[in-house]
């Protein structure tokens, strides 16, 4: 057992914990059912506020005495808004209900809370093992995850510090202050923890470097900039369990000897800003942050800085510039921030997930952490898996799990019986991997070797109807806009890459373009200062390497195999199948491109059509008359009769 | 390039809001590192950064207006046009892109006859593109005002615009009724 594991008496903390436990007991023992509702951004976006209102109204109307407990995000995005109802009197275990609309909330209040019928058809599972309802841990989406960072997310109220403390939160502090900073650093070094901000730099050695700087003022920055347009785990952690991050920040500050810390979070994440600000306030009130923390004579102030939204500001030196009030442009390293960071002071910058891993490590010991994951990448990885999977959401897995397990077992595979085509990992800095790579274990080194990258943890799964050229174009469009303009290759090179990709997706590309793409990509990688430019060509390079067929089809046949590139597709109506007199597609067309033919069937005016695909959705399945083709010449031309134009006017 | 929109005149209400900010600036102090928090404060109050505000901040921090513009235009958060009463934010995050978010954006642009980053002349609507609003499972997603609309379809666009317009008319009618009954 590691020394961290011992209980350490600290009268001040014991008092706080006592209070937290009393409150928790009171909540548990209060009569009546308890309703837990997920209220992070994702839940609210899916209507959790309305769901909560519905519960409250219905409970009041029926005079039921129940407690509503708002919690954070549990990571099961496909199930939002989710509700867990703990209704012991009914004889059922706590039950997890997915997609609880206000209507469902009303129904559950009436039928389950009042009458004791849990409505089996709406249940996802029970959150405890029992005889009546399948336990959620029997599902791969639950059982194959390993929650370290997100263990408490979705179970505690992020806006109530006592909730966290009752769940054993802040319990590492008392013990930590009895150990020397060197011992803490050694523990983190032994754990093998690597930074979760993308590059995987070992955290312990980083802290050690900062600790060894003989300077009075040192700083800690928590990097919650999260610029990847498809990743949202850092925000979710801040929104669902801010105190675990603060606990990590306190440990880091103590280890390196800093008395000031900054949480850099995007202003575009208003809920995260509010919750972390409130959390700092609460921690201060209890003496867990501020002067003389828990009587240890260690002081630490934590501030929130609202980032203004620029992808490059996630890069540490750019982030520092932006806190200093300037344009967020990266600078050359060395000196590294651990030597000369914010205001020229030694600064440790760590990602949210890195810092949130600290408390579990200190609590359970380095050896415990090492047992999770792989030799070179211990611990867990968090991915936001989106796109064409059955169960999208935030997923925390031990490092070393294969992509196949993650996509097919945990996330339920590809919906609608379609075939897997590619998985994009690491957002704008990452790459697209084909089926052959599905057995790649997920860890820092294997992914980099395959040409992708852990990066931000964004993961987009794509089925056969996806165009990898278009995805590359999408990411290039993003990096080109976000390039800060400092390095010529990044500024102008990404612009040219984008122009070429646009040309290809419009069917104007040629053989030579493919060569230029490759050459230019290498040049941009070599000619850029920071990680943005160095990694921006990754999406292009990997898709060129693994999906050359896609490029060839665009260039040689002017055809988009995934039928995503709109200039290369056309919609037409199969006159054999179209039903006379049906008008479903006419009303839905946003540009009035659908017309009635002389025999009262429908045709599409290709010159007006914007290829939104709406008519295809609108066409009743029993006719199924709308066809999508690529290249567009495959669509038969149907003349628009003169008089129908008048008729429409 | 961001549209700096410098020729729009400030409304009386905006002028007085801006004046209220002056004492707050004194409180914040003249430290250069306060530039971004100051700009955020102004945008929070006025919903955008009018030219007058930029000059005010430049004077306050004793730096040139072009330097303030330099910083403000660098970041995506700052806008130089007043947003509409119903800001439309079309998500073009990765998941929404794959599900055709750009088609939704185009539909809003066509329906409202403005481009992304602009505001309708009656200041009723403005269109913005945003990256991942955090509910990718509902892709494609659009946020109108405070409400998130998931599983968007091009044909839902017209309904959303219409609904916002009707709400507005209803509000105005009620306002008139209240005023006349007073
Ligand atoms: C273009 C670019 C964007 C980055 N964005 C982020 C980000 O959003 N969040 C983050 O934690 N790190 C980001 N990083 C990595 C940081 O520079 C830095 O390595 C990291 O915050 C260190 O924390 P860690 O050691 O905990 O990983 C980015 C790097 C680059 C080059
Ligand atoms: S990409 Fe649109 S909500 Fe995530």
């Amino acid at each position: 057992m590691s020394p961290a594991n011992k209980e350490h008496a600290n009268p001040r903390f014991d008092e706080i914990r006592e209070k937290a436990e009393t409150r928790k007991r009171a909540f548990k023992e209060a009569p009546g059912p308890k309703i837990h509702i997920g209220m992070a951004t994702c839940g609210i976006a899916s209507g959790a506020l309305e769901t909560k209102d519905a519960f409250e109204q219905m409970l009041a109307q029926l005079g039921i005495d129940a407690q509503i407990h708002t919690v954070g995000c549990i990571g099961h995005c496909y199930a939002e808004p989710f509700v867990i109802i703990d209704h012991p009197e009914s004889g059922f275990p706590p039950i997890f209900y997915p997609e609880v609309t206000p209507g469902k909330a009303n129904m559950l209040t009436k039928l389950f809370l009042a009458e004791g019928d849990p409505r089996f058809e709406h249940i996802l599972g029970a959150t405890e093992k029992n005889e009546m309802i399948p336990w959620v841990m029997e599902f791969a989406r639950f059982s194959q995850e390993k929650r370290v960072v997100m263990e408490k997310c979705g179970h505690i109220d992020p806006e109530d510090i006592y909730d966290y403390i009752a769940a054993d939160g802040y319990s590492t502090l008392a013990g930590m202050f009895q150990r020397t900073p060197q011992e803490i650093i050694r523990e983190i070094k032994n754990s093998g923890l690597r930074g979760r901000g993308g590059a995987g730099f070992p955290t312990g050695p980083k802290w050690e470097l900062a600790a060894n700087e003989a300077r009075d003022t040192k700083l800690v920055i928590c990097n919650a900039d999260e610029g990847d347009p498809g990743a949202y785990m850092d925000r979710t952690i801040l929104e669902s369990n801010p105190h675990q991050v603060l606990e990590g920040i306190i440990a880091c500050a103590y280890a390196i000897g800093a008395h000031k810390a900054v949480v850099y979070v995007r202003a575009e994440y208003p809920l995260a800003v509010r919750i972390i600000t409130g959390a700092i306030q609460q921690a201060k009130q209890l003496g867990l942050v501020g002067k003389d923390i828990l009587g240890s004579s260690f002081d630490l102030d934590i501030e929130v800085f609202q980032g203004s939204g620029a992808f490059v500001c996630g890069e540490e030196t750019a982030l520092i510039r932006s806190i200093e009030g300037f344009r967020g442009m990266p600078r050359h390293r060395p000196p590294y921030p651990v030597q000369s960071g914010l205001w020229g002071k030694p600064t440790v910058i760590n990602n949210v997930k890195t810092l949130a891993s600290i408390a579990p490590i200190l609590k359970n010991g380095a050896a415990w952490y090492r047992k999770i994951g792989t030799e070179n990448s211990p611990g867990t990885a968090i991915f936001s898996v989106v796109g064409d999977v059955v169960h999208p959401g935030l997923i925390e897995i031990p490092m070393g799990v294969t992509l196949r397990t993650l996509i097919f077992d945990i996330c339920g595979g590809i919906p609608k019986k379609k075939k897997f085509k590619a998985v994009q990992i690491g957002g704008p800095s990452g790459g697209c991997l084909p089926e052959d790579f599905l057995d790649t274990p997920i860890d820092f080194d294997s992914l980099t070797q395959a040409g992708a990258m852990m990066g931000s943890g964004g993961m987009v799964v794509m089925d056969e109807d996806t165009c990898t050229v278009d995805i590359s174009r999408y990411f290039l469009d993003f990096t080109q806009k976000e390039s800060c303009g400092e390095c010529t290759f990044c500024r102008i090179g990404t612009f040219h890459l984008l122009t070429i990709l646009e040309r290809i997706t419009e069917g104007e590309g040629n053989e030579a373009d493919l060569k230029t793409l490759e050459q230019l990509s290498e040049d941009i990688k070599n000619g850029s200062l920071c990680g943005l430019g160095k990694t921006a060509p990754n999406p292009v390079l990997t898709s060129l390497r693994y999906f050359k067929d896609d490029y060839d089809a665009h260039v040689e046949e002017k055809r988009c195999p995934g039928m995503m590139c709109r200039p290369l597709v056309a919609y037409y109506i199969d006159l054999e199948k179209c039903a006379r007199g049906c008008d479903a597609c006419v009303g839905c067309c946003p540009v009035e491109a659908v017309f009635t033919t002389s025999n009262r069937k429908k045709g599409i005016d290709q010159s007006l059509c914007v290829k939104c695909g709406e008519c295809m959705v609108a066409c009743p399945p029993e006719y199924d008359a709308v066809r999508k083709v690529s290249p567009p010449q495959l669509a038969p031309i149907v003349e628009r009769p003169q008089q129908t134009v008048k008729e429409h006017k | 390039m961001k549209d700096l929109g410098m020729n729009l005149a400030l409304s009386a209400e905006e002028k007085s809001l801006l004046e209220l900010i002056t004492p707050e600036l004194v409180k914040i102090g003249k430290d250069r590192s306060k530039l971004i928090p100051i700009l955020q404060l102004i945008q929070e109050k006025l919903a955008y950064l009018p030219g007058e505000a930029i000059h005010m901040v430049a004077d306050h921090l004793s730096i040139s207006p072009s330097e303030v513009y330099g910083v403000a235009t660098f970041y995506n958060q700052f806008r130089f046009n007043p947003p509409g009463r119903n800001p439309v934010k079309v998500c073009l995050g990765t998941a929404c892109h794959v599900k055709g978010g750009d088609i939704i954006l185009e539909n809003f642009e066509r329906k409202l006859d403005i481009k992304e980053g602009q505001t309708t002349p009656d200041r009723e609507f403005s269109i913005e593109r945003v990256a991942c609003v955090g509910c990718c499972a509902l892709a494609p997603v659009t946020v109108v005002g405070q409400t998130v609309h998931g599983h968007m379809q091009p044909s839902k666009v017209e309904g959303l615009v219409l609904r916002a317009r009707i709400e507005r008319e209803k509000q105005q009618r009620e306002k008139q009724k209240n005023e006349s009954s007073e």
Side-chain angles (χ1 to χ4, degrees), chain A residues 238-387:
Chain A
L238 285 184
E239 284 175 359
S240 305
N241 191 0
H243 290 288
Q244 191 166 328
V245 181
L246 294 182
E247 197 172 343
I249 293 177
I250 300 169
C252 176
Y254 176 70
I256 69 162
H259 300 291
K260 193 170 158 63
V262 180
V263 181
Y264 186 99
V265 48
R266 295 195 153 216
E268 284 123 316
Y269 290 178
L271 186 63
V273 171
R274 198 189 83 213
I275 290 186
I276 187 78
T277 312
I280 295 171
Q281 211 72 42
Q282 290 181 355
K284 233 184 205 154
Q285 274 162 11
L286 295 187
L288 297 165
V289 166
K291 288 242 168 298
D292 190 24
I293 299 175
L294 293 180
S296 65
S297 76
F298 176 72
D299 304 338
L300 175 66
D301 253 332
I302 308 182
E303 256 180 37
V304 173
F305 185 91
Q306 297 190 32
S308 292
F311 178 55
V312 72
C313 285
E315 199 280 335
E316 47 192 26
T317 59
L319 183 150
I320 287 171
R321 280 304 272 168
S322 101
I323 298 184
E324 290 171 347
F326 294 86
R327 293 164 73 97
M329 309 257 239
R331 65 160 171 75
H332 191 69
R333 298 175 305 176
Y336 286 91
V338 286
Q339 298 148 338
S340 171
L342 185 56
W343 319 118
K345 314 286 185 213
T347 307
V348 165
I349 301 189
N350 272 141
N351 174 259
V352 173
K353 288 159 287 198
T354 316
L355 290 165
S357 306
I358 301 295
I361 294 175
L362 290 180
K363 189 166 143 235
N364 304 303
W368 166 82
Y369 193 72
R370 274 222 170 261
K371 280 203 213 100
I372 308 167
T374 64
E375 177 66 29
N376 285 326
S377 305
T380 56
I382 301 183
F383 285 100
S384 53
V385 185
V386 300

Side-chain angles (χ1 to χ4, degrees), chain A residues 306 326-327 470 474 566 614, chain B residues 40 70 75 92 97 106 155:
Chain A
Q306 297 190 32
F326 294 86
R327 293 164 73 97
D470 180 71
Y474 167 77
R566 281 191 279 156
E614 199 64 2
Chain B
Q40 285 171 339
Y75 296 99
L92 288 181
H97 167 77
E106 256 174 43
S155 53

Side-chain angles (χ1 to χ4, degrees), chain A residues 373-637:
Chain A
T374 64
E375 177 66 29
N376 285 326
S377 305
T380 56
I382 301 183
F383 285 100
S384 53
V385 185
V386 300
D388 301 313
V389 284
V390 175
H391 293 148
L394 289 184
I395 293 164
E396 184 169 4
I397 43 159
M399 294 267 191
V401 165
T402 62
L403 286 168
R404 190 185 299 281
T405 310
L406 177 58
I407 296 169
F408 288 92
D409 298 345
I410 303 180
C411 292
I414 317 285
K416 298 185 203 147
K417 298 211 178 93
K418 290 199 188 168
K419 278 222 297 280
F420 170 88
K421 175 166 181 179
V423 53
Q424 209 283 349
I425 309 171
S429 338
C432 263
L433 299 181
E435 199 167 357
D436 304 347
F437 282 82
L438 278 178
D439 292 309
T440 309
I442 296 170
D443 63 62
F444 288 105
D445 310 309
S446 309
L447 287 182
T448 311
Q449 221 169 15
M453 198 172 147
M454 191 73 97
S456 50
M459 184 179 287
V460 192
V461 180
M462 297 176 262
D463 67 17
E464 53 196 322
D465 291 339
T466 324
C467 172
T468 53
V469 186
D470 180 71
I471 298 297
S472 307
R473 187 197 56 76
Y474 167 77
F475 282 120
L476 247 294
D477 183 53
F478 177 79
T479 31
Q480 190 270 324
K481 283 205 178 82
E482 293 290 339
S483 166
C484 74
E486 190 162 312
C487 311
T488 318
F489 271 103
C490 178
R491 182 180 67 239
I492 302 178
T494 53
F495 180 78
H496 280 297
L497 275 188
L498 177 63
T499 319
I500 296 173
L501 286 170
E502 278 174 353
R503 208 158 59 214
I504 295 176
T505 53
E506 283 160 13
E508 309 282 327
N510 56 45
E511 271 307 303
D513 280 342
L514 301 186
K515 286 255 154 5
T516 320
L517 279 181
E518 216 159 329
Q519 183 59 47
L520 195 52
S521 292
E522 290 302 333
D523 293 343
I524 295 172
K525 281 182 116 164
N526 295 329
S528 302
L529 180 67
C530 86
L532 191 147
K534 281 191 201 303
T535 59
N538 280 354
V540 184
L541 284 174
T542 51
S543 56
L544 261 177
R545 185 173 338 144
Y546 303 128
F547 300 95
K548 184 80 185 343
D549 288 355
D550 270 2
Y551 283 86
D552 288 343
H554 283 77
V555 170
E556 285 161 20
E557 305 167 45
K558 314 293 172 208
R559 176 175 69 88
C560 175
M563 300 219 232
M564 270 181 89
C565 299
R566 281 191 279 156
L568 299 186
V569 301
Y571 289 87
Y572 74 92
I573 291 169
D574 186 345
L575 293 175
E576 302 274 296
K577 294 196 150 192
C578 181
R580 207 159 281 162
C582 164
D583 268 342
C585 52
V586 179
C588 74
C589 179
V591 289
E592 295 181 19
V594 184
F595 58 85
T596 307
T597 62
S598 46
N599 59 354
R600 293 184 31 243
K601 294 193 170 189
K602 299 291 176 287
I604 294 176
D605 185 337
Q606 300 294 345
S607 64
L608 291 179
C609 177
V610 292
K611 303 171 189 180
C612 66
E614 199 64 2
C615 46
M616 202 163 181
V617 178
C619 186
E622 61 266 38
Y623 307 139
D624 187 23
V626 183
R627 296 273 167 278
K628 187 180 186 182
V629 286
S630 177
Q633 296 84 309
L634 292 181
I637 295 172

